[in-house]
Amino acid sequence: MPGVSARGLSHEERRQLAVNLTRVLALYRSILDAYIIEFFTDNLWGTLPCSWQEALDGLEPPQLATLLLGMPREGEVASSSTLIMSVGPGVKNPWPGHLCSPLFQLVKKLSDLTGCTQVVDVGSGQGHLSRFMALGLGLTVKSIEGDQRLVERAQRLDQELLQALEKEERRNPQVRSSPRHCPHHVVRWVDPTALCEELLRPLEKPARGGARLLLTGLHACGDLSATLLRHFCCCPEVVALASVGCCYMKLSDPGGYPLSQWVAGLPGHTLPYRLREGACHALEEYAVRLQKAGPGLRTHCYRAALETVIRRARPELRRPGVQGIPRVHELKIEEYVQRGLQRVGLDPQLPLNLAALQAHQAQENRVVAFFSLALLLAPLVETLILLDRLLYLQEHGFHAELLPIFSPELSPRNLVLVATKMPLGQAFSVLETEDS
């Protein structure tokens, strides 16, 4: 998992890892709690230990990328040791067109392994995952989404893809396959505080036995991921789960985090909004920006300087939202501040202390270094959130693992939480077997 790997650990080892994480997060809480736009107003640099200041001062962005974030130096090849877990085996494309990914293959394996009769894709958005599972893998899929407009868009995309496939089959009869069925789309908001009957209702009565459902959600937002875990634990018809979480800042506390009794009982387990929001940042993407050392890195410094001017003009106005200012890197710092003042409703012609602004700009690398420290620690927050989910499932008698499904450069949330209601060894040995 991000930050620290919990894969292959025993239940007791995972519990101890949670203890260690809360201790580390408490130790560096001041960095994680800080808002980078308050770098100057709150003297964030001065909050670092003197030895840290000495080590970081004067480092250029590419050096930060190498020393803090593990990126290779120019000319070096990235080491696989910087990854917590290796990406899974390659996936064969089941049909013409590049429409398959490791997640689709994993869901197919889970479905076959557990004898699932229906996949339920929760928070399906425009239906991309549902569409590929149904039309590409031949699974029976129910797609649940609360936004009517997204459902209508998903249905249009279903028909467009179906028409494209039929056209391809007429052109190349050798690719003709069995009849395809689009996902069954349902407009429904899933209440995170209660079980959803629509989610559990089968599309068709199984030929024998009861329904066996596989729940999945690709980047299910906030509490929705926690809701999937509750349905898995409480509902006998749900036999498997494959969930990729997202938007941790939208988790309810309590309700979405913590879920496990163990983490809830640890001192310092609370994760305020600021910490959970930071855990959603794209560490890999920022490391690439550091390597390139482009002028775009100065945005945080400019915004922090603007905050000092805002506080002098209106001390009660703190951290106001500033709508995006185009082409920041081409502006002088005083030009940026003037535009920023206008964006927050202040007089852009306020007299400015140019010497002070230029002194702030001279500390650009310090601002970048402090922000890099926060990003370096933020994955530990995500680790604790995901570890809490693993422990929650284990407390209910189920084993779960986190498996990488795609490169973190494609999406920072790249781990799928997988759980089944069958013997651990059989399930995960099959899931991790390389395709022949």
Side-chain angles (χ1 to χ4, degrees), residues 302-335:
Y302 274 23
R303 178 62 184 86
L306 170 62
E307 190 73 7
T308 66
V309 179
I310 293 172
R311 298 279 180 94
R312 281 197 299 270
R314 285 185 57 186
E316 76 282 3
L317 186 59
R318 292 175 168 268
R319 302 195 296 267
V322 178
Q323 296 178 353
I325 297 176
R327 309 187 73 82
V328 172
H329 60 280
E330 296 180 359
L331 301 176
K332 295 180 179 179
I333 191 167
E334 59 269 25
E335 294 173 334

Side-chain angles (χ1 to χ4, degrees), residues 8-9 36 53 69 97 100 166 174 178 301 320 347 357 359 384 397 426:
L9 299 183
I36 196 65
Q53 295 179 36
L69 305 181
C100 196
E166 291 172 350
Q174 65 272 19
S178 58
C301 181
D347 183 1
L357 291 178
L384 183 58
Q426 180 185 358

Side-chain angles (χ1 to χ4, degrees), residues 158-175:
D158 288 351
Q159 293 305 313
E160 290 174 7
L161 182 55
L162 199 57
Q163 291 169 7
L165 290 171
E166 291 172 350
K167 183 177 179 181
E168 180 67 22
E169 288 179 351
R170 288 194 297 270
R171 191 163 41 229
N172 300 298
Q174 65 272 19
V175 303

Side-chain angles (χ1 to χ4, degrees), residues 263-318:
V263 171
L266 295 178
H269 75 272
T270 57
L271 298 176
Y273 177 92
R274 178 71 190 92
L275 271 68
R276 289 181 277 118
E277 188 274 335
C280 293
H281 282 266
L283 177 64
E284 292 79 11
E285 186 272 337
Y286 191 73
V288 171
R289 290 176 60 193
L290 288 176
Q291 278 191 315
K292 294 179 179 178
L297 289 173
R298 69 175 53 133
T299 302
H300 287 310
C301 181
Y302 274 23
R303 178 62 184 86
L306 170 62
E307 190 73 7
T308 66
V309 179
I310 293 172
R311 298 279 180 94
R312 281 197 299 270
R314 285 185 57 186
E316 76 282 3
L317 186 59
R318 292 175 168 268

Side-chain angles (χ1 to χ4, degrees), residues 223-234:
D223 287 343
L224 196 53
S225 293
T227 301
L228 294 181
L229 269 65
R230 291 193 182 95
H231 280 76
F232 175 82
C233 290
C234 299

